């Protein structure tokens, strides 16, 4: 769990604007089909629905979609030190604000207040799940025509995280679509965080932007001081609200009925990300990335290799250093846009080349003494990852080195995380682990292919 305060300065909106968010792919929902769908929108507190998905609500309402908004708490704990307003009084104010905001965004939506305690949703997971399932059942739609819209499950606020986790479990269990909207993430996260790179956006029309702005004004107990006394300060600072004045909204999208992203989706997504920013992951400037590269190079058991292969090379920052350790080197990526930069970085090494391939469906010819798979495995489905390890097993020379390195936190929009990728490698390959380094943010593991007959 991250630690932050609403009073923190956080990441400036100007940094997010320059990060490549604006060129994320559009939400892949056919506008013509929205009228036949049901959207169950979950909010932990009044204003969550407006901040994270207000523009989407306006669009769904205009399209004729069925919308059910479930509000879990009245947000009565937003000003615990207020000398002028009791929690009960604040609850009444915030519920009125919620009704006004949702009525303005989606007048055709149904609203339901679930009466849970602000700050204590972890104790009510089962009751929340039951309420969501009841709402979905009442809609009477097939599972793949229902989308749950909920706070991002790693948003950093305990109520948001709990509600997001419940939504994710129900969506995966019953085959519904899932849209996760971040709120506090924009405050505490850095643009170097890889989570958002797999998200999608909804480009808002001017009318949708105006509707969202008006709805946000309705939540005046959060955007304006309750009084001029200490403890009654505005909860949402102007710099924070800037994150929700963008002409788009951003979501982690999980398609219905197991329709998760795949390797083929990665090409489209990462071309868009790299097209909007020459270094979207801050490979060249982030101390985290520079340090991780240094650790990766340090764990290689051999000083030099005959032939090397890097899967998912991106813009080639690690590739350059790996190629210097190999007599021949191939850098592979699904993004042709990223490979332009990788090729430029490798141009001084005549023994290094780049290939535009989507693995594991495609694979370079030949055999290798070194294969590096860094921050790539979780962008595959479990079936694709198994296929990748089959490819590695067939192409790595006896005694060769396989290096895996992956981010350990959830990667929204994709089925796997870093720890699962490594667990699947151990289970499928059953090769000796020659080295293992694990910390809070990433895991780095070195395997050696058995000597003798090629596997």
């Amino acid at each position: 769990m991250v630690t932050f305060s609403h009073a923190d300065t956080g990441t400036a909106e100007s940094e997010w604007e320059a990060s490549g968010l604006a060129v994320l792919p559009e939400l892949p929902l056919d506008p013509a089909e929205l009228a036949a769908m049901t959207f169950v929108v979950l909010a932990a507190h009044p204003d969550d629905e407006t901040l994270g998905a207000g523009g989407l609500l306006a669009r769904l309402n205009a399209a004729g979609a069925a919308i059910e908004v479930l509000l879990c708490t009245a947000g009565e704990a937003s000003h615990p030190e207020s000398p002028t307003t009791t929690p009960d009084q604040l609850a009444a104010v915030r519920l009125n604000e919620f009704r006004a905001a949702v009525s303005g965004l989606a007048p055709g939506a149904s609203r339901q207040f679930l009466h849970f305690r602000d700050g204590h949703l972890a104790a009510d997971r089962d009751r929340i799940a039951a309420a969501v399932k009841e709402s979905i059942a009442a809609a009477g739609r097939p599972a793949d025509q229902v989308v749950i819209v909920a706070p991002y499950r790693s948003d950093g606020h305990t109520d948001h995280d709990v509600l997001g986790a419940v939504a994710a479990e129900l969506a995966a269990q019953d085959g519904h679509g899932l849209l996760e909207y971040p709120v506090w993430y924009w405050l505490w996260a850095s643009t170097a965080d890889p989570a958002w790179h797999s998200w999608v956006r909804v480009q808002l029309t001017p009318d949708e932007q105006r509707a969202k702005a008006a709805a946000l004004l309705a939540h005046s107990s959060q955007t304006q001081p309750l009084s001029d006394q200490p403890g009654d300060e505005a909860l949402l600072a102007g710099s924070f609200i800037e994150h929700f004045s963008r002409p788009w909204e951003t979501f982690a999208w999980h398609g219905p009925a197991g329709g998760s992203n795949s390797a083929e989706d990665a090409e489209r997504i990462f071309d868009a990300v790299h097209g909007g920013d020459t270094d979207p992951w801050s490979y060249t400037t982030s101390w985290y990335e520079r340090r991780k590269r240094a650790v990766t190079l340090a764990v290689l058991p051999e000083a030099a290799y005959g032939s090397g292969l890097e899967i998912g090379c991106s813009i080639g920052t690690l590739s350059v250093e790996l190629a210097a350790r190999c007599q021949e080197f191939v850098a592979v990526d699904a993004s042709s846009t990223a490979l332009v930069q990788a090729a430029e970085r490798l141009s001084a090494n005549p023994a290094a080349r780049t290939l535009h391939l989507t693995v594991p469906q495609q694979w370079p010819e030949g055999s290798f003494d070194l294969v590096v798979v860094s921050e790539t495995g979780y962008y595959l489905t479990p079936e694709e990852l198994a296929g990748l390890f089959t490819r590695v097993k067939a192409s790595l020379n006896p005694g060769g080195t396989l290096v895996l390195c992956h981010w350990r936190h959830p990667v929204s929009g994709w089925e796997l995380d870093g720890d699962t990728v490594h667990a699947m490698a151990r289970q499928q390959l059953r090769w000796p682990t020659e080295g293992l380094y694990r910390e809070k943010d990433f895991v780095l593991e070195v395997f050696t292919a058995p000597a003798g007959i090629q596997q």
Side-chain angles (χ1 to χ4, degrees):
M1 174 72 71
V2 297
T3 301
F4 67 92
S5 165
H6 71 274
D8 293 344
T9 302
T11 303
E13 177 58 18
S14 59
E15 295 181 51
W16 285 114
E17 288 177 351
S19 68
L21 279 175
V23 296
L24 289 175
E26 285 278 344
L27 173 65
L29 282 179
D30 186 348
E33 298 178 355
L34 294 180
M37 300 180 68
T38 293
F39 290 79
V40 179
V41 181
L42 309 183
H45 318 97
D47 77 6
D48 291 341
E49 78 298 324
T50 299
L51 291 165
L56 175 68
L57 280 170
R59 175 165 305 182
L60 297 177
N61 182 79
I67 307 169
E68 177 79 23
V69 184
L70 303 183
L71 175 64
C72 289
T73 81
E76 68 275 8
S78 69
H79 289 75
E81 305 300 325
S82 173
T84 65
T85 309
T86 67
D88 285 346
Q89 290 171 331
L90 187 56
V93 169
R94 297 201 66 185
L95 288 174
N96 283 332
E97 292 173 346
F98 168 77
R99 284 189 285 268
V102 174
S103 295
L105 291 167
S110 298
R111 302 185 306 269
Q112 184 178 355
F113 176 42
L114 301 182
H115 296 274
F116 297 123
R117 290 177 60 202
D118 187 0
H120 295 80
L121 291 189
D124 291 303
R125 291 177 65 108
D126 291 344
R127 294 170 62 199
I128 294 169
V132 177
K133 289 176 73 73
E134 181 179 346
S135 181
I136 291 173
R141 290 263 168 82
D144 61 355
Q145 292 180 15
V146 175
V147 175
I148 304 174
V149 184
Y152 176 43
R153 73 188 89 169
S154 297
D155 202 41
H157 186 299
T158 180
D159 281 350
H160 291 204
D161 294 357
V162 168
L163 191 55
V166 169
E169 291 168 7
L170 292 177
Q173 172 185 306
D174 297 330
H176 307 305
L178 174 66
L179 280 168
E180 299 179 68
Y181 58 84
V183 175
W184 292 107
Y185 176 87
W186 304 120
L187 176 79
W188 61 259
S190 160
T191 58
D193 180 35
W196 66 267
H197 294 102
S198 60
W199 295 354
V200 298
R201 65 186 172 88
V202 172
Q203 189 70 34
L204 303 181
T205 67
D207 284 345
E208 290 163 351
Q209 293 178 62
R210 284 190 287 270
K212 180 172 181 174
L216 189 54
L217 287 175
H219 292 286
S220 58
S221 70
Q222 306 302 291
T223 60
Q224 302 295 325
L226 298 179
S227 77
D228 58 1
Q229 297 187 46
D232 275 353
E233 297 84 0
L235 186 73
L236 305 181
S239 58
F240 179 69
I241 294 174
E242 286 182 7
H243 301 314
F244 307 96
S245 300
R246 303 166 182 158
W248 70 84
E249 290 176 338
T250 312
F251 300 89
W253 164 243
H254 310 258
S260 59
N261 291 320
S262 67
E264 293 179 352
D265 295 314
E267 179 173 0
R268 170 181 55 82
I269 292 170
F270 295 135
D271 267 343
V273 170
H274 286 99
D277 190 336
T278 58
D279 189 5
W281 279 270
S282 302
Y283 286 129
T284 58
T285 58
S286 164
W287 170 239
Y288 166 77
E289 292 293 343
R290 286 156 47 207
R291 174 174 166 271
K292 186 178 62 177
R293 281 198 300 276
V295 176
T296 301
L297 294 162
V299 302
L300 296 179
E302 304 295 335
Y305 291 88
S307 56
L309 168 66
E310 182 186 8
I311 301 299
C313 67
S314 187
I315 61 175
T317 48
L318 178 61
S319 311
V320 172
E321 299 183 77
L322 290 173
R325 304 270 291 267
C326 301
Q327 295 177 16
E328 297 179 352
F329 184 76
V330 181
V332 169
D333 202 273
S335 170
S336 57
T337 306
L339 282 175
V340 171
Q341 292 191 65
E344 290 176 356
R345 284 187 164 85
L346 291 168
S347 60
N349 188 335
R353 60 194 176 100
T354 61
L355 286 177
H356 180 213
L357 300 177
T358 300
V359 298
Q361 296 90 336
Q362 300 168 306
W363 197 260
E365 296 181 355
S367 59
F368 304 93
D369 302 306
L370 170 67
V371 175
V372 177
V373 182
S374 181
E375 309 289 13
T376 299
Y378 40 59
Y379 294 128
L380 306 177
T381 65
E383 295 76 18
E384 289 169 337
L385 184 62
L388 181 142
F389 291 140
T390 297
R391 293 278 202 176
V392 169
K393 197 171 185 180
S395 61
L396 193 61
N397 289 325
T401 299
L402 168 64
V403 178
L404 302 181
C405 181
H406 290 88
W407 175 255
R408 298 188 66 200
H409 303 286
V411 185
S412 295
W414 310 86
E415 293 184 56
L416 305 176
D417 57 24
D419 287 331
T420 303
V421 169
H422 287 240
M424 289 182 63
R426 296 185 208 108
Q427 181 178 19
Q428 182 173 342
L429 296 174
R430 300 190 181 278
W431 289 353
T433 296
E434 299 296 339
L436 175 63
Y437 176 77
R438 184 185 290 114
E439 61 177 58
K440 176 176 67 73
D441 290 328
F442 72 91
V443 56
L444 176 62
E445 194 161 2
V446 179
F447 298 89
T448 299
I453 300 175
Q454 188 168 355
Q455 300 297 297

